[in-house]
Amino acid sequence: MGVAVENIELVAGELRQRLGGEAVVTDEERLDSYEADTYWKAIASRANGSPLGRPDLVVLARSDADVATVLRLANQFGVPVVPWGGGSGSQGGAILTHGGIALDLKGLDRIVEVDEESLTVTAEAGVNGQRLEAELNERGLMLPHYPASAELATVGGYVAARGSGVLSTRYGKIEDLVLSLRVVTPTGEVIDTMPVPRHAVGPELTQLFIGSEGTLGVITRATLGLRPLPAARRFEAVSFPSVPEGIAAVRDAIARGYRPSVVRLYDETATRLTLSPVVGEELDGVCTILCFEGEPAVVDAEAEGALALASERGARILDSSLGETWWRRRYEFYRPPHHPELPAMWGTIEAVATYARIYGVYQAVRSAIEPYEQDGLTLRIHLSHWYPWGTMIYGRFVIPDAGANGIELHDRIWEDGIKAILEAGGVINDHHGVGLKLAPYMRAQHGPALDTLRRIKEVLDPNRIMNPGKLDL
């Protein structure tokens, strides 16, 4: 579905007058760079010369006022708008399937305030995650949200996709770290949600926009909770006799009040194909990396307690240097040669469930994807984000050569994987967002509740300009 040429030309002309000519990009080569995020299907389609979407123009916003101007004009003329941050999303959430305006927010790059007394930071949506962390570290602080995408991702992307980082088991996901947001609504109003998340003055609007992926408005600013850099970090590594024993040991540790910051439990295949190459050692079994952090005495007490529980479940204690190596190299998992490139196919079938259901979900996904081994597929599953009530599986699949029918094969793998998750009682995603990839399954996941979300969308975005085609809204 395209946008009327006359509307695009009218909007582009108005935007040049109001924002300046340098803020409006129509150069074909520069538009090309907004055709795909890191979603495999988008990358493959672009390589085949048939991108899933492309902007008609790009606006380089520098302020809340710029964003409001863009949305008011787009709403008036019915032109789609898709917010664009670092382009690191893996679900196709930033692809302009309906054309229109790619609203590039990287120019909103101010760290507005670091409140060292309240342990908060207020940053604009375009602030790069790695840059923010470096500046906080200089003050002895950290934003304990360490996603693999930190080199590219922005604060706005963290929040809009409801993301998570490797320290989430201790500190929570991004929704646990957000205090408040500034949002520009689809009709151009600039609103601030309540300055703190714990209040009794009505429903919590902040959480409505977290995870909304640009479908309900544009997040332009966030206030986030900080922590002091830990005085000590202690890494450990263990090997469990089975995935269920590992899950049970971690569940028991969390139930007793131990708070590891990192728990990365790799099944046998993931240990061999994912963990071993990065840490540089041949490992087998269900290897698990643990990290405990904080004051030294507390760190040691938690680590020793958790290791004792692991031993009760038959775990072998491995050399702790494995954990330290994993920490130093943790971003290498997502770079060549450890990360595949075309003509390979790759993707992450992710699910979250309660402890009572998670192993059933794990088995269901393995069984659903096993037939594709004849196509050269390998499935490597690890569990990396843990909660008092359950955990998640992160099922990375790779096929060395996708072949001529790669797109069709990709869609069948996803359909079978999602069906297996839902039938086993899981939720189809933990922290990567929905985007294009999971939009077709939102009805199956939400049921009638999806209609409530759609009604909210209709009120906020009456002309449906905001990121159409995403979240099945």
Side-chain angles (χ1 to χ4, degrees), residues 64-292:
D64 300 330
D66 287 356
V67 174
T69 296
V70 171
L71 295 192
R72 282 195 292 269
L73 278 169
N75 188 60
Q76 179 183 348
F77 290 99
V79 175
V81 177
V82 178
W84 187 281
S88 62
S90 62
Q91 311 290 73
I95 297 171
L96 286 92
T97 53
H98 293 57
I101 300 169
L103 182 56
D104 191 317
L105 301 170
K106 291 192 291 294
L108 277 74
D109 61 356
R110 290 189 307 138
I111 299 173
V112 179
E113 180 188 34
V114 178
D115 182 343
E116 297 191 33
E117 183 175 6
S118 305
L119 289 178
T120 67
V121 60
T122 300
E124 291 185 319
V127 173
N128 171 262
Q130 197 168 61
R131 173 198 152 203
L132 175 61
E133 188 63 18
E135 295 197 23
L136 292 171
N137 289 172
E138 289 178 1
R139 298 170 179 251
L141 300 171
M142 67 174 182
L143 172 65
H145 181 71
Y146 283 31
S149 59
E151 289 179 304
L152 297 175
T154 59
V155 167
Y158 285 174
V159 177
R162 196 180 288 273
S164 190
V166 297
L167 304 179
S168 68
T169 300
R170 181 179 179 92
Y171 299 107
K173 293 171 58 186
I174 196 67
E175 63 261 35
D176 303 302
L177 299 171
V178 174
L179 277 74
S180 65
L181 297 174
R182 176 169 292 174
V183 178
V184 181
T185 71
T187 49
E189 295 84 9
V190 180
I191 64 171
D192 290 294
T193 65
M194 294 295 291
V196 294
R198 301 288 182 258
H199 59 75
V201 284
E204 178 56 83
L205 276 177
T206 301
Q207 291 295 327
L208 175 66
F209 292 105
I210 297 174
S212 62
E213 300 184 33
T215 62
L216 302 180
V218 179
I219 296 165
T220 61
R221 181 178 296 194
T223 299
L224 306 162
L226 305 177
R227 301 290 190 277
L229 282 170
R233 275 196 176 113
R234 174 172 168 177
F235 291 93
E236 296 291 345
V238 301
S239 180
F240 289 103
S242 68
V243 170
E245 292 289 2
I247 292 172
V250 179
R251 177 203 63 204
D252 292 349
I254 292 173
R256 293 197 185 191
Y258 303 141
R259 297 190 302 156
S261 57
V262 175
V263 180
R264 307 280 283 202
L265 187 154
Y266 295 84
D267 75 0
E268 292 90 341
T269 306
T271 292
R272 179 169 53 88
L273 297 178
T274 301
L275 181 61
S276 293
V278 172
V279 298
E281 294 193 32
E282 289 190 10
L283 302 168
D284 57 21
V286 180
C287 285
T288 303
I289 303 298
L290 301 165
C291 177
F292 301 86

Side-chain angles (χ1 to χ4, degrees), residues 3 9 15 34 38 53 130 149 155 159 165 188 193 228 250-251 275 302 316 320 326 338 396 400 417 431 439 456:
V3 184
E9 291 177 348
L15 289 172
Y34 295 84
T38 68
Q130 197 168 61
S149 59
V155 167
V159 177
T193 65
V250 179
R251 177 203 63 204
L275 181 61
E302 289 191 326
R316 290 184 292 115
S320 63
W326 173 87
H338 305 296
R396 186 75 160 170
H431 62 272
I456 293 170

